[in-house]
Amino acid sequence: MTTDKPMTLGMVGLGRMGANMVRRILKDGHNAVVFDTNPDNVAALVAEGATGAHSLAELKAKMTG
């Protein structure tokens, strides 16, 4: 079910659970800004439509900017 009021959500930690939560967020029509200490995890979700961040500070800036 796609939302008619999309939100931007931030996710820190993209292991199995975090990555699947982001996939559901994206599938439902929301936006996600993602960060993980493993850049490959970030890149995988960017390829699926998320916005990547290379640091917590960058995640915060992308959430508020």
Side-chain angles (χ1 to χ4, degrees), residues 12-59:
V12 176
L14 304 174
R16 181 181 295 171
M17 184 170 61
N20 285 332
M21 290 171 69
V22 170
R23 288 183 181 102
R24 282 194 178 183
I25 288 166
L26 295 172
K27 181 180 175 186
D28 289 343
H30 299 289
N31 304 308
V33 181
V34 298
F35 170 74
D36 193 270
T37 57
N38 181 340
D40 293 338
N41 292 348
V42 175
L45 287 169
V46 167
E48 295 182 38
T51 300
H54 299 289
S55 67
L56 291 173
E58 185 180 354
L59 182 138

